[in-house]
Amino acid sequence: MNLKDKYKDYFDGKTYNITTFGCQMNEHDSERISYILESLGYKKIQDRNKADFILFNTCLVRENAELKLYGQVSSLKKLKKENPDKIIAVSGCMMQTSTARQVIIDKHKEVDIIFGTKNINSLADLIFRYLETNERVIDISTDNVKDDFVYYNTPNDFQAYVNIMTGCDNFCSYCIVPESRGREESRRPSSILDEVENLVSRGYKEVTLLGQNVNSYGNRADFDMTFPALLEKISHIEGLKRLRFTTSHPKDLSDELIDVIKNNDNICNYFHLPLQSGSSKVLKDMNRKYDQEKYLERALKLREEIPSIAISTDIIVGYPTETEEDFQETLKVCEKVKYDSAYTFKFSPRPKTRAAKLKTIDDAIVQDRFDRLLDTIYPIFNKKNEEYIGRTVEVLLESESKNNPQILTGRTDTFKLVHVKADKKLIGQFVKVKITDNTSFTISGDLI
């Protein structure tokens, strides 16, 4: 008897809970994990403490996520002692790196299963191994991405993520991704197209393509396909209403990509273009491979060619070599590009990166710059959203508002978060909304 048959009845009535830290790629990994667990017989529940299988899917990009994980895992020590049959697992980027993994191994004996970003497909076998031995199971692989069609659960039946590549070759001085995700590996176009076609045939309306740097898709591959060419092919799939992608590196943003977005109506008019710093000196220190002039030329070209486009960004405040003059250059870029939204961070040294060896700036100085950055960009966000008042926009309704079940939330193709009073039966549908109000972060209006 194989292990799957042996434990067939074990999973009856068993439940699971997944906590995900980090980016959309981590969220998509959790969707794959969820599919595997439910294939075994587990049922998803919201209360972590009541779950039979508890999993943390980790992120290593920011120190805050790392510290949060350690705290949440520690909080389960008593629960595990009282209920030794519970299985606690930790996966993801933190486990792919030896330093963070060793912390879990040495200090968190309550964790039963440890696996990396490239071992998700082996999860069922890891669980069987643990059930057989009742001993901790650790499985970390460095295998490259496979083209096999991968099954996964999605949070709803109208939106889905699709990985087109994994890893990163940019080696920014502050970033741990090449260590945790490995070098760039692009999936074959045929595999990606098959996956998107399958999703559309099942009724999915919006697909988001994922990669650490989608613009460099195909660079190290044994096939001839650029990201703009792939994007155009996918956009022509009949029935696909909306197509998004993230993340783009400014150094690889081509005119060809801008033209493809401009000329295909179902590719959303939204572009995430990480700045990180507006100072050419700091950008060089970060190994970003572009300067302020190049970045502004690309961002403003997007605005010129696609006037309706919304642009978001990432900004790091307090990189160790940043001076007040450098910080002022960041503010200058923000005022020129006029971002629609931004993810802002205070510099966080990550192990095994070059920037981790540099002397950090005093916390009070970093906090002051961070506050001034927000004081600069929030009014810009507000003004950009204010421009929507009086306009009628198409919104894909996604969920009920957390604060008011009579209010639904959704997104425009420009990724604006919209609040509208509507029946929850409309979730998953495209509706027309006339915008009547705004904040720096949302727009709201009436159903047409």
Side-chain angles (χ1 to χ4, degrees):
M1 178 184 294
N2 62 39
L3 292 179
K4 187 171 183 180
D5 290 337
K6 179 178 178 179
Y7 289 101
K8 181 178 180 181
D9 297 331
Y10 167 84
F11 299 102
D12 288 346
K14 292 289 193 298
T15 57
Y16 77 96
N17 177 274
I18 300 174
T19 300
T20 305
F21 300 92
C23 67
Q24 293 98 327
M25 294 193 76
N26 288 32
E27 292 176 19
H28 190 46
D29 285 347
S30 290
E31 293 172 356
R32 294 168 57 197
I33 292 169
S34 177
Y35 179 87
I36 292 169
L37 293 175
E38 292 186 12
S39 297
L40 289 173
Y42 283 107
K43 303 296 182 185
K44 185 176 182 178
I45 62 171
Q46 298 301 318
D47 190 336
R48 179 197 297 161
N49 291 345
K50 292 181 179 179
D52 298 293
F53 186 95
I54 301 170
L55 184 137
F56 296 92
N57 187 15
T58 62
C59 173
L60 197 59
V61 173
R62 306 290 170 199
E63 184 181 21
N64 185 51
E66 186 177 350
L67 297 177
K68 189 181 293 186
L69 170 76
Y70 295 144
Q72 293 191 20
V73 172
S74 293
S75 71
L76 297 179
K77 286 182 179 179
K78 182 179 178 182
L79 188 67
K80 175 69 174 178
K81 188 174 182 179
E82 294 172 349
N83 303 273
D85 289 339
K86 284 184 182 290
I87 300 176
I88 300 174
V90 180
S91 67
C93 294
M94 277 182 62
M95 298 304 95
Q96 200 67 38
T97 59
S98 57
T99 304
R101 182 169 68 247
Q102 203 60 45
V103 172
I104 294 294
I105 291 172
D106 294 341
K107 298 184 178 180
H108 295 278
K109 304 300 183 183
E110 66 275 17
V111 176
D112 305 303
I113 299 175
I114 298 169
F115 62 101
T117 57
K118 302 175 186 292
N119 302 88
I120 293 173
N121 289 349
S122 302
L123 177 56
D125 292 333
L126 303 185
I127 294 172
F128 293 141
R129 281 167 53 188
Y130 175 76
L131 293 175
E132 282 287 284
T133 63
N134 200 34
E135 295 179 357
R136 172 181 276 177
V137 177
I138 301 173
D139 193 11
I140 307 296
S141 173
T142 57
D143 288 346
N144 292 332
V145 67
K146 301 294 191 299
D147 279 327
D148 304 14
F149 185 88
V150 176
Y151 291 96
Y152 45 85
N153 288 341
T154 53
N156 55 53
D157 59 3
F158 52 90
Q159 293 171 304
Y161 292 130
V162 171
N163 274 346
I164 66 168
M165 61 191 300
T166 61
C168 184
D169 286 351
N170 289 309
F171 295 95
C172 299
S173 63
Y174 54 83
C175 185
I176 193 67
V177 167
E179 172 75 16
S180 61
R181 290 277 181 179
R183 300 295 299 274
E184 284 182 359
E185 295 291 340
S186 299
R187 288 178 61 192
R188 293 191 173 278
S190 58
S191 175
I192 298 167
L193 288 163
D194 286 347
E195 185 171 340
V196 177
E197 286 173 353
N198 178 278
L199 288 165
V200 173
S201 72
R202 290 156 53 197
Y204 285 82
K205 298 178 173 68
E206 180 179 285
V207 169
T208 301
L209 307 179
L210 299 180
Q212 241 56 63
N213 175 19
V214 293
N215 291 353
S216 62
Y217 173 83
N219 279 4
R220 298 175 63 237
D222 59 358
F223 54 81
D224 184 18
M225 177 72 73
T226 64
F227 179 62
L230 175 70
L231 191 67
E232 181 143 40
K233 278 184 174 293
I234 295 173
S235 73
H236 293 166
I237 293 175
E238 188 174 353
L240 179 58
K241 303 297 184 184
R242 278 187 182 176
L243 179 58
R244 301 187 185 276
F245 57 88
T246 194
T247 293
S248 290
H249 196 295
K251 73 179 178 63
D252 299 315
L253 171 51
S254 65
D255 287 345
E256 182 187 3
L257 178 56
I258 295 173
D259 288 341
V260 169
I261 298 169
K262 179 180 178 180
N263 296 325
N264 291 278
D265 291 340
N266 62 348
I267 301 177
C268 292
N269 288 337
Y270 168 75
F271 207 105
H272 186 68
L273 192 66
L275 170 66
Q276 307 304 2
S277 172
S279 161
S280 294
K281 176 179 75 66
V282 173
L283 289 170
K284 184 176 181 180
D285 293 342
M286 289 177 165
N287 195 36
R288 290 292 288 171
K289 301 181 178 69
Y290 57 85
D291 57 15
Q292 182 194 102
E293 182 181 7
K294 171 69 173 178
Y295 182 93
L296 283 172
E297 186 274 326
R298 292 287 81 191
L300 297 179
K301 179 72 176 286
L302 277 169
R303 291 271 190 225
E304 178 185 354
E305 293 294 323
I306 313 171
S308 61
I309 202 163
I311 302 176
S312 62
T313 197
D314 296 336
I315 299 172
I316 297 173
V317 176
Y319 186 81
T321 63
E322 180 187 79
T323 65
E324 175 62 26
E325 290 74 20
D326 294 321
F327 175 67
Q328 289 297 326
E329 292 298 299
T330 296
L331 298 184
K332 182 171 77 173
V333 172
C334 291
E335 289 167 345
K336 285 188 175 182
V337 177
K338 301 189 185 307
Y339 296 110
D340 292 78
S341 61
Y343 299 93
T344 54
F345 310 94
K346 290 180 278 188
F347 172 75
S348 174
R350 300 285 71 212
K352 297 189 176 182
T353 63
R354 283 180 292 142
K357 301 174 184 177
L358 302 175
K359 183 180 179 181
T360 57
I361 300 172
D362 182 82
D363 289 345
I365 294 175
V366 176
Q367 185 62 54
D368 174 67
R369 290 178 188 169
F370 189 79
D371 292 341
R372 284 187 284 144
L373 172 66
L374 300 187
D375 287 344
T376 298
I377 61 178
Y378 282 1
I380 295 173
F381 300 166
N382 187 73
K383 185 171 180 58
K384 297 293 288 187
N385 286 346
E386 193 176 57
E387 293 172 0
Y388 279 74
I389 293 179
R391 291 168 52 185
T392 297
V393 296
E394 185 176 63
V395 179
L396 176 57
L397 294 177
E398 298 177 0
S399 63
E400 294 180 353
S401 168
K402 294 179 181 179
N403 300 321
N404 184 349
Q406 292 185 321
I407 301 296
L408 301 186
T409 64
R411 298 274 181 180
T412 65
D413 81 318
T414 55
F415 209 62
K416 298 291 183 180
L417 183 63
V418 180
H419 295 300
V420 61
K421 187 174 182 179
D423 192 305
K424 65 180 181 181
K425 292 179 181 178
L426 291 175
I427 291 175
Q429 303 299 315
F430 287 100
V431 298
K432 299 290 186 180
V433 177
K434 184 171 184 179
I435 303 303
T436 59
D437 200 4
N438 76 284
T439 69
S440 293
F441 312 103
T442 66
I443 56 178
S444 57
D446 301 320
L447 204 62
I448 300 296

